[in-house]
Amino acid sequence: MTITQRALEISDRVETFVRDTIIPYERDPRRDHHGAPLDELVVEMRAAARGAGVLTPHILPDGSHLTQRETAVVLIKSGLSPLGPLACNTMAPDEGNMYLLGHVGSADLKARFLAPMIDGSARSAFFMTEPAEDGGAGSDPSMMKTTCRLDGNHWVIDGRKTFITGAQGASVGIVMAKAEEGACMFLVDLPDPAIRIDHVPNTIDSSMPGGHATLTIDNLRVPADQMLGVAGEGFKYAQIRLSPARLSHCMRWLGCCIRAHEIATDYANRRTAFGKTLIDHEGVGFMLAENMIDLKQCELMIDWCAGVLDTGSLGTVESSMAKVAVSEALMRIADRCVQVMGGTGVTDKTIVEQVFREVRAFRIYDGPTEVHKWSLAKKIKRDWKAAHGV
């Protein structure tokens, strides 16, 4: 499936907008206690994106989506600034949540919850991960402790959640809970008095509005018609969201690392030490050369996995491979950029140090590298046993 000229034109418009309009916002002081952009800033940037015709650019006016390969060329460009995905409405968890609702939501749920997300007037949160101290679900969703039970024409939900990105300030929530039938998903309006935010920790990353909250769900009553799909199918729906959302993380942070590499390259060509520019020192030049290699490998890995998803496959194996390869490569790139820039690289004079922090967190988000490798190893074993009749 080829990438259309239309998608390339959207990508070009997004890049121009991010470079010309959004990058200057990187110095804007409207931030919360741990450096994340305040909603006031997000609203202002989204108004600019709407005016430029690049708000939610991966979803077309008729409600259809670009292909995954096309989405990649657009989301990579939106990631050229840590603020770009927020401005263009391509950020996590909203991009994945929009994808899920678009594929599973009823017409009524789409009109009520999806439409305001697409037009950028509502932020969303995905309530899945639970506190480790409770023995709750993390990388293993089967450990879910949050429960739901039917009471008349409502479902009643109780439990605790943690690392819920963007919960503070979100208008739409997708809550996962466990019923007798199995896992379930619900659409809820936020804020709700039955959902109490207990704590928003300071984290190594600082690009997500609302941070990553820990919260308590106490006797939350949700109308039965706000269940997403049917009871017991929650993990099945999560799989629909999983691979595309995992891959879109790779897309956005590739954009950030492209920008960090540009900044480090500019620094290396301007800074002089020991009688010549840094780029002419092999130790520096080789690091930037290795960045070029890793950047291209990331681009190709993303495109390959996106092509698999475009066939209709869930792409679970392929997205695990891409997540490992890309996240680890981006960490190497970000680390080299800091190293090339020396003392300047660890300051907030540029976004390089932020990119380093964001990518370090990305190696854990959407499944730590080790979980994906473990999953791939299980497939290798299954394939071997099948091939040998064991």
Side-chain angles (χ1 to χ4, degrees), residues 302-376:
I302 290 170
D303 183 69
W304 164 72
C305 183
V308 171
L309 295 179
D310 281 336
T311 68
S313 168
L314 286 175
T316 305
V317 169
E318 293 83 357
S319 65
S320 282
M321 293 170 66
K323 171 59 165 59
V324 172
V326 174
S327 66
E328 296 298 319
L330 295 183
M331 184 77 258
R332 294 192 297 269
I333 293 164
D335 184 64
R336 292 188 199 114
C337 289
V338 171
Q339 193 73 11
V340 165
M341 296 178 67
T344 302
V346 299
T347 72
D348 62 1
K349 188 174 182 179
T350 74
I351 65 158
V352 168
E353 64 84 23
Q354 182 186 355
V355 173
F356 178 88
R357 290 186 286 106
E358 301 287 341
V359 170
R360 183 61 189 84
F362 170 47
R363 293 172 64 206
I364 294 174
Y365 299 159
D366 273 72
T369 293
E370 294 72 24
V371 171
H372 291 294
K373 288 181 177 179
W374 171 70
S375 176
L376 293 170

Side-chain angles (χ1 to χ4, degrees), residues 99-111 114 187 227-229:
Y99 186 90
L100 175 63
L101 286 179
H103 282 73
V104 180
S106 66
D108 288 342
L109 290 178
K110 288 179 182 178
L114 179 58
L187 273 295
M227 175 180 282
L228 193 59

